[in-house]
Amino acid sequence: MGIERMPFGKTADGKEVSRFKLTNAAGAYVQIINYGGIITAINLPDREGRLGDVVLGYDSLEEYVQDRNYFGAIIGRTANRTENACFELEGVEYKLGKNEGNNHLHGGVAGFNKALWDAEMVGSKDGESLLLSYLGKDGEEGYPGNLQARVRYTFTDKNELVMEYGAISDRDTVVNLTNHSYFNLSGHQSGSVLGHKLMICGDRFTPIDSALIPSGEIRSVAGTPMDFMELTAIGARIGWDDGQLLHAGGYDHNWILGNGGKVPEKAAEVVDETSGRVLEVFTTKPGIQFYSGNFLDSVLGKEGALYGKRSGFCLETQYFPNSMKHKHFPSPVLKAGEEYRSTTIYRFSVVA
Ligand code: BGC
């Protein structure tokens, strides 16, 4: 039980990176590195009690440095896409780093996923937690304000990975932090996730254009392949001749959650009948991006595993993408001196 710290190589400029192993009383464990705050492994029992690692990742730091899939990482300062890589805040236009055509994706070229975070182990009501902190500088990737960001990871004895995000800025800015883990509940090396069953607690989504950016429309899921109100196999409708699926080559959309935003409420559930493992996601955030790993293409991962298209899925809790452009979307603006707070929980269990 508790947290162990181990070396995990050095960055190009010679800084030591650590890997933290968070083990709970049930013997399950999570591994996190302070480079990018990346979750590198989540080892959980299946229905027979056998431990298996349910997140995609790499064996070495070098591979995480090279990675373009955001495996397991903290995404910041803002998750997902900002159209034309610019936004307006109080009459001033800010230009962000362009790292996907003309757009800004997941915090830019050197987002929070490529930063070395300070790490400390701290006590919490559920035992020990790993607290990571990073100062995003004023002007970094074009964002205004020095932003002191924190993520606290706790792995409880009930197999819940709790992620508490906090941030404070000295100027008005925008913040939308998330985690970009790719799950495969059969085990990271098990191939396609199309047989996993998914439920999303949202009856509306934000349709995208051909650049995968929400147009501003809010649409009901009723009668569309976006309807995951009841557990449905990820692959059941992914091949439909549907404009939204065709834009993204599968699912890569934001669902609108009906939560109150104060305490974490259920946002999604995934059941893998093969292993019996279940993932439930709880969050205070207003939206969740379900991405079905459409762009994965023969990625050489941990223990020699080869990750092909749709061999992992992401459930990224967030403010809606491109929300600075659409004033009817919940606002990601953080006022100077105010505190940004959000919590997301991945709760794991098994079914018989
Ligand atoms: C996005 C995808 C993108 C992926 C990067 C997801 O959050 O929605 O469009 O390709 O991240 O690996």
Side-chain angles (χ1 to χ4, degrees):
M1 267 170 63
I3 305 182
E4 272 173 85
R5 182 175 194 153
M6 294 154 271
F8 194 67
K10 286 186 184 167
T11 59
D13 54 356
K15 300 207 177 80
E16 308 253 356
V17 176
S18 298
R19 176 158 68 181
F20 298 84
K21 183 176 179 188
L22 290 65
T23 308
N24 71 11
Y29 64 92
V30 173
Q31 290 186 320
I32 298 166
I33 56 175
N34 63 331
Y35 177 80
I38 295 169
I39 298 171
T40 60
I42 304 183
N43 275 269
L44 297 160
D46 65 8
R47 65 159 73 79
E48 317 294 346
R50 286 177 303 229
L51 284 188
D53 184 357
V54 301
V55 286
L56 277 51
Y58 304 106
D59 291 322
S60 71
L61 176 63
E62 191 48 41
E63 290 162 297
Y64 282 109
V65 171
Q66 299 301 329
D67 169 74
R68 292 285 169 266
N69 297 298
Y70 303 86
F71 279 177
I74 297 171
I75 307 296
R77 191 173 297 200
T78 63
N80 215 277
R81 296 180 174 79
T82 299
E83 192 176 359
N84 296 328
C86 67
F87 67 89
E88 201 187 293
L89 179 61
E90 283 132 22
V92 179
E93 184 175 84
Y94 293 94
K95 290 193 166 43
L96 303 176
K98 292 182 180 173
N99 61 331
E100 198 195 47
N102 201 33
N103 303 319
H104 176 86
L105 172 66
H106 291 329
V109 183
F112 288 10
N113 60 310
K114 299 290 182 205
L116 185 63
W117 295 60
D118 289 326
E120 46 178 323
M121 275 101 98
V122 294
S124 78
K125 64 174 177 22
D126 287 307
E128 224 177 355
S129 301
L130 173 65
L131 180 64
L132 300 184
S133 30
Y134 173 67
L135 177 69
K137 301 234 170 53
D138 186 24
E140 195 175 283
E141 289 294 323
Y143 290 101
N146 290 296
L147 183 82
Q148 184 62 61
R150 285 176 286 112
V151 185
R152 179 184 180 121
Y153 294 93
T154 310
F155 189 46
T156 75
D157 292 340
K158 293 184 195 138
N159 290 340
E160 297 157 318
L161 180 59
V162 182
M163 292 165 290
E164 294 165 281
Y165 300 89
I168 191 155
S169 173
D170 58 3
R171 285 175 65 192
D172 292 1
T173 189
V174 289
V175 187
N176 186 11
L177 305 177
T178 194
N179 175 268
H180 208 289
S181 288
Y182 287 70
F183 297 97
N184 185 325
L185 298 179
S186 291
H188 73 97
Q189 74 296 21
S190 304
S192 169
V193 291
L194 294 181
H196 285 47
K197 289 187 176 159
L198 168 70
M199 194 263 289
I200 302 178
C201 306
D203 59 3
R204 291 168 303 156
F205 74 107
T206 51
I208 53 174
D209 62 18
S210 58
L212 313 193
I213 297 185
S215 59
E217 184 193 340
I218 288 176
R219 194 183 290 175
S220 166
V221 299
T224 79
M226 305 293 153
D227 185 350
F228 282 100
M229 299 288 285
E230 288 181 12
L231 280 171
T232 308
I234 292 175
R237 300 158 304 184
I238 203 166
W240 281 16
D241 185 15
D242 170 273
Q244 284 296 307
L245 292 173
L246 293 173
H247 280 329
Y251 294 101
D252 197 350
H253 298 79
N254 171 67
W255 271 254
I256 300 178
L257 302 170
N259 65 28
K262 294 275 181 263
V263 291
E265 289 178 44
K266 188 151 165 176
E269 177 171 336
V270 185
V271 177
D272 170 36
E273 282 162 4
T274 309
S275 65
R277 294 191 186 97
V278 176
L279 162 65
E280 289 166 279
V281 180
F282 297 80
T283 190
T284 55
K285 280 277 174 63
I288 192 165
Q289 185 88 7
F290 165 48
Y291 169 53
S292 52
N294 314 312
F295 299 120
L296 290 175
D297 183 14
S298 304
V299 181
L300 186 58
K302 286 183 277 196
E303 301 154 342
L306 199 60
Y307 305 134
K309 185 172 174 172
R310 299 178 182 153
S311 59
F313 64 89
C314 304
L315 286 166
E316 305 150 55
T317 57
Q318 61 185 0
Y319 286 106
F320 307 170
N322 206 27
S323 48
M324 290 303 282
K325 292 274 154 64
H326 303 300
K327 298 298 168 204
H328 58 296
F329 285 0
S331 170
V333 172
L334 178 69
K335 293 278 184 195
E338 285 182 6
E339 216 181 327
Y340 168 96
R341 271 175 183 277
S342 73
T343 302
T344 293
I345 302 169
Y346 297 143
R347 177 189 289 170
F348 300 95
S349 56
V350 285
V351 282

